[in-house]
């Protein structure tokens, strides 16, 4: 028994636990969404709404599990850094790699509505992280994403979903009235993924998926914090690197598949939507459960996220697409960001 307990405390075991946690998160999110979508379909929920809620949130479930688990286990540095790191990875690596396959076009709605809103969400993250209600009831600089901020995020998230659904319904109505063929969107692709499972199997998928997500999130947080402690780095850098990459794998796979199918505008729409979901849904849920401490490192990383977001937005509006050269620049900038966070951890870019 003593030998077994000693084994579970080793770094190798924690790394294995971390890897298994990522596998459980990704596969658990997949089967949970499949089961929940099938149940919603049987309850006569319109496929469009299923696609833009249950299925769309599916790729953000790994981030949600890690951030909520981190918040509940006093590893709060992981909660914010995982979201920020995932969003940076989505923008620079997911889109950058997709652009290396082919030029990425961008839809009008994404360019005019969704992308600017994602930038607004990042700015809001800084504001709500710095300011809030203090213990004495006064309002000012508080360095915490409190429960009231979490509620604001969740309200905005619901509003964003409603806007997406209403916009999609209006577009289809116009297409029907004019007799034109409606342009296939991300929502259409999501609808195609809704399986018609037997009720018992759908319920089994929901329960099994939820259990896998729960344990996957716990094991990722446990493994990540153990690795951080063993190699002498902060939870923040683990959240920005290992956790961010691991939880962003669904977005990477979805966007690459979309790009290879020449559904190039979907790749950008998927990433932008996921980034909005990560901030509003993931952080909102985590902060509502347990307030999350905010740090100067978080502010700097969010500012870098904003700078990258604006750069890619410029790429999009100048040529209405992201070309291979720009994709290469994005991948290189992400590599530079990784070098920066590592050097910052060593104290070369000491803050404060």
């Amino acid at each position: 028994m003593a030998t077994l307990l000693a084994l579970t405390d080793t770094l190798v075991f924690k790394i294995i636990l971390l890897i298994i946690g990522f596998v459980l998160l990704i596969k658990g999110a997949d089967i949970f969404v499949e089961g929940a979508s099938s149940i919603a379909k049987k309850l006569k929920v319109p496929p469009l709404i299923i696609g833009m809620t249950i299925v769309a949130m599916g790729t953000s479930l790994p981030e949600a599990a890690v951030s909520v688990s981190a918040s509940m286990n006093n590893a709060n540095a992981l909660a914010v850094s995982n979201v920020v790191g995932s969003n940076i990875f989505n923008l620079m690596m997911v889109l950058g790699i997709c652009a290396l396959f082919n030029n990425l076009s961008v839809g009008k709605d994404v360019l005019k509505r969704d992308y600017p809103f994602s930038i607004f969400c990042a700015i809001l993250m800084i504001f709500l992280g710095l300011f809030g209600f203090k213990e004495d009831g006064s309002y000012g600089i508080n360095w915490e994403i409190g429960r009231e901020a979490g509620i604001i995020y969740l309200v905005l998230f619901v509003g964003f979903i409603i806007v997406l659904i209403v916009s999609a319904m209006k577009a289809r109505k116009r297409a029907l009235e004019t007799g034109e063929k409606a342009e296939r969107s991300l929502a259409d692709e999501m609808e195609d993924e809704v399986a018609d499972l037997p009720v018992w199997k759908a319920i089994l998928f929901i329960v099994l998926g939820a259990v896998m997500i729960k344990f996957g999130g716990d094991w990722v947080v446990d493994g990540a914090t153990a690795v951080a402690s063993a190699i002498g780095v902060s939870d923040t850098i683990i959240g920005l690197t290992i956790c961010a990459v691991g939880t962003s794998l669904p977005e990477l796979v979805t966007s690459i598949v979309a790009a290879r199918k020449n559904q190039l505008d979907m790749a950008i729409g998927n990433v932008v939507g996921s980034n909005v979901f990560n901030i509003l849904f993931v952080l909102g849920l985590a902060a509502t459960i347990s307030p999350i401490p905010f740090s100067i490192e978080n502010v700097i990383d969010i500012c870098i996220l904003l700078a990258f977001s604006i750069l890619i937005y410029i790429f999009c509006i100048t040529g209405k697409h992201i070309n291979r050269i720009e994709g290469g620049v994005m991948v290189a900038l992400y590599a530079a960001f990784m070098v920066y966070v590592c050097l910052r951890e060593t104290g070369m870019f000491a803050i404060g």
Side-chain angles (χ1 to χ4, degrees):
M1 180 63 71
T3 304
L4 181 62
L5 290 175
L7 177 62
T8 60
D9 286 333
T10 63
L11 178 59
V12 172
F13 177 80
K14 295 298 183 181
I15 292 175
I16 293 173
L17 198 68
L18 179 68
I19 295 171
I20 294 174
F22 281 133
V23 173
L24 288 177
L25 279 178
I26 295 169
K27 188 59 182 176
D30 186 39
I31 66 174
F32 177 87
V33 166
E34 189 172 353
S37 299
S38 181
I39 290 292
K41 187 175 183 180
K42 291 182 183 300
L43 294 175
K44 306 301 182 183
V45 176
L48 175 65
I49 295 179
I50 297 173
M52 303 200 78
T53 54
I54 299 172
V55 180
M57 285 188 287
T59 56
S60 290
L61 283 177
E63 287 90 346
V66 170
S67 292
V68 169
S69 180
S71 180
M72 296 178 68
N73 288 282
N74 296 317
N76 292 313
L78 276 175
V80 177
S81 60
N82 177 47
V83 167
V84 176
S86 293
N87 283 13
I88 291 175
F89 182 85
N90 287 344
L91 281 174
M92 308 307 288
M93 285 296 287
V94 174
L95 289 185
I97 291 173
C98 287
L100 294 177
F101 282 102
N102 207 339
N103 291 343
L104 294 180
S105 58
V106 54
K108 290 181 180 179
D109 286 342
V110 172
L111 195 61
K112 293 182 179 180
R113 181 194 63 206
D114 300 343
Y115 204 113
F117 186 67
S118 72
I119 294 175
F120 165 77
C121 289
I123 295 172
L124 183 65
M125 187 163 37
I126 294 178
F127 181 81
L128 293 181
L130 290 176
F131 298 94
F133 289 101
K134 304 178 183 179
E135 292 183 0
D136 60 5
S138 62
Y139 186 84
I141 295 180
N142 196 36
W143 292 98
E144 180 183 79
I145 303 177
R147 287 191 172 91
E148 69 280 356
I151 293 171
I152 291 172
Y153 284 140
L154 292 177
V155 170
L156 285 173
F157 174 72
V158 172
F160 179 66
I161 292 294
I162 292 173
V163 168
L164 289 182
I165 292 173
V166 170
S167 175
M169 291 176 69
K170 286 182 177 178
R172 290 189 173 188
K173 184 178 179 181
R174 285 196 303 268
L176 289 173
E177 289 175 348
T178 58
E180 296 177 358
K181 183 179 179 181
E183 181 180 351
R184 285 188 64 78
S185 64
L186 182 59
D188 295 311
E189 294 297 320
M190 291 172 177
E191 289 179 24
D192 293 342
E193 297 175 8
V194 179
D196 190 9
L197 302 175
V199 173
W200 68 268
K201 190 173 184 179
I203 294 174
L204 177 63
F205 275 26
I206 292 172
V207 173
L208 183 60
V211 170
M212 292 171 69
I213 291 170
K214 193 275 178 189
F215 282 101
D218 288 346
W219 291 355
V220 165
V221 171
D222 186 23
T225 52
V227 170
S229 176
I231 63 178
V233 300
S234 67
D235 287 349
T236 298
I237 192 172
I238 294 296
L240 287 170
T241 54
I242 297 174
C243 288
V245 173
T247 56
S248 291
L249 290 178
E251 287 89 345
L252 179 61
V253 172
T254 301
S255 295
I256 288 178
V257 169
R260 295 191 68 173
K261 288 181 178 178
N262 283 329
Q263 296 160 340
L264 303 173
D265 56 331
M266 281 176 54
I268 296 179
N270 176 57
V271 162
V272 173
S274 179
N275 282 7
V276 172
F277 284 17
N278 285 346
I279 295 175
L280 298 184
F281 174 64
V282 175
L283 271 188
L285 187 60
T288 301
I289 293 173
S290 176
I292 303 171
F294 207 64
S295 68
I296 186 64
E297 287 88 356
N298 296 141
V299 175
I300 292 173
D301 294 333
I302 296 170
C303 287
I304 292 173
L305 169 62
L306 281 169
F308 286 160
S309 298
I310 293 170
L311 174 65
I312 296 175
Y313 191 63
I314 292 172
F315 287 165
C316 292
I317 61 177
T318 51
K320 304 300 180 186
H321 65 264
I322 301 174
N323 60 39
R324 287 188 174 90
I325 294 177
E326 292 165 341
V329 169
M330 290 156 62
V331 172
L333 285 175
Y334 182 78
F337 171 69
M338 286 292 97
V339 171
Y340 160 71
V341 295
C342 292
L343 292 178
R344 185 175 75 188
E345 190 67 22
T346 65
M348 184 171 294
F349 290 100
I351 300 170

